[in-house]
Amino acid sequence: MTHTTASDHTEQFEARWRQVLERDKRADHQFVFAVRTTGIFCRPSCPARRPKRENVAFYTDALAAEAAGFRSCKRCLPRQAITPGDQAIAGVCRALQQAVISAERPPTAEQLAVVVKLSASRLHTLFKAAVGMTINQYTQALRSVQVRDALDKGASITDAIFAAGYSSTGHFYRRAERELGMPARRYQNKGQAMTIEYTIATCELGQLLVARSERGICAIALGDSGDELIADLLERFSNAQKIMPSDDFAEQIQQVISHIEQPGAASLNLPLDVRGTAFQRRVWQALQNIKPGQTISYRELAEQIGAPTAARAVANACGANTLAVLVPCHRVVRGDGSLSGYRWGVERKRELLKREKMK
């Protein structure tokens, strides 16, 4: 676990609470404490007035507290307690992002190591632990996002490829279908030549959209308006060929509805058309391993995929999920157990969790 709450009557909680009451400076680099009523986290030695014990949660570091939605105290500046290693990785990420945006050749790991004053091997170790992928994989993910954004804005495929810093078109095309979910030309044309069948159904959580491509279920969305759900789908695949739902697709839709209304009642094994970056797919795969009725924090999920300090990136990946319920991002909560944002509404998230715990 990465935190303790006021309801955890453990020796660790009591020891940390005593250090907070004593404003023990020796604990400043061991943990931070957050106050739910103010939304702020502090160092143990912070000179501010002490909060009520029941409003306190402890986190291992400033990054974990921020991932849980708390803000840094402007008086004791706990964010400055972030380790030099954390700062080095943040600097490396900024350098790589700037290189991709500028279509420059990204600096090598050896060059980056010199800048952040670490050995190349140490930098590799810290980077993978923090980000969840190697420096080369991270650069590739940045380039894929850059290409996707350029294509969305109407750039030609060749211009988008070279604007993202690729040295040749062949290097990009070898990865394009895996990263974009379809050939680059088809992505540029918003799904032209694709066949998508979709329908709107009513379930106990409101309106439900389910869409299927040739590969499998490519979108599941919940909302109050079927028209709005369809408009969002058509924006993503405006040139795809739309067809009437087939009989076997109708059966899959009923499986999705049953899974929402009676979670865990029957096994669900539907083909999925999952589209995202390598990091996003790792997060989504880990989400599918969480059993109904269980929850996990963003920090804990980051640890599970081998990226213990990448809680913020994990949260972003959850937000990018387009397959409601089947990729169960609703099972991820804040470090203190409270509910954070949900693409299809926090109330639906609460109801989904309630149903799963009652099964």
Side-chain angles (χ1 to χ4, degrees), residues 111-122:
Q111 291 170 330
L112 291 167
V114 171
V115 173
V116 298
K117 299 180 180 179
L118 294 171
S119 68
S121 61
R122 179 61 175 162

Side-chain angles (χ1 to χ4, degrees), residues 68-120:
F70 293 96
R71 307 184 309 278
S72 176
C73 174
K74 294 183 178 180
R75 190 168 182 179
C76 66
L77 303 175
R79 209 178 187 286
Q80 291 182 0
I82 294 175
T83 68
D86 293 332
Q87 294 173 349
I89 299 307
V92 167
C93 289
R94 286 194 297 270
L96 294 172
Q97 290 166 356
Q98 185 57 48
V100 170
I101 291 172
S102 304
E104 300 172 349
R105 182 183 295 278
T108 65
E110 289 71 21
Q111 291 170 330
L112 291 167
V114 171
V115 173
V116 298
K117 299 180 180 179
L118 294 171
S119 68

Side-chain angles (χ1 to χ4, degrees), residues 67 279 283 298 301 310-321 332 340:
F279 183 81
V283 173
Y298 294 105
L301 184 56
R312 189 182 298 275
V314 164
N316 290 337
C318 290
N321 173 35
V332 189
S340 56

Side-chain angles (χ1 to χ4, degrees), residues 28-56:
D28 281 351
H29 295 285
Q30 299 175 15
F31 63 88
V32 297
F33 72 94
V35 185
R36 296 188 186 89
T37 51
T38 63
I40 292 173
F41 69 92
C42 303
R43 299 173 187 256
S45 66
C46 182
R49 181 181 176 182
R50 284 325 187 222
K52 293 182 178 180
R53 182 182 183 279
E54 59 267 24
N55 294 329
V56 169

Side-chain angles (χ1 to χ4, degrees), residues 269-287:
N269 186 24
L270 296 176
L272 302 182
D273 183 358
V274 180
R275 304 158 188 247
T277 66
F279 183 81
Q280 288 172 336
R281 291 197 300 271
R282 285 177 59 196
V283 173
W284 297 337
Q285 181 59 53
L287 287 172

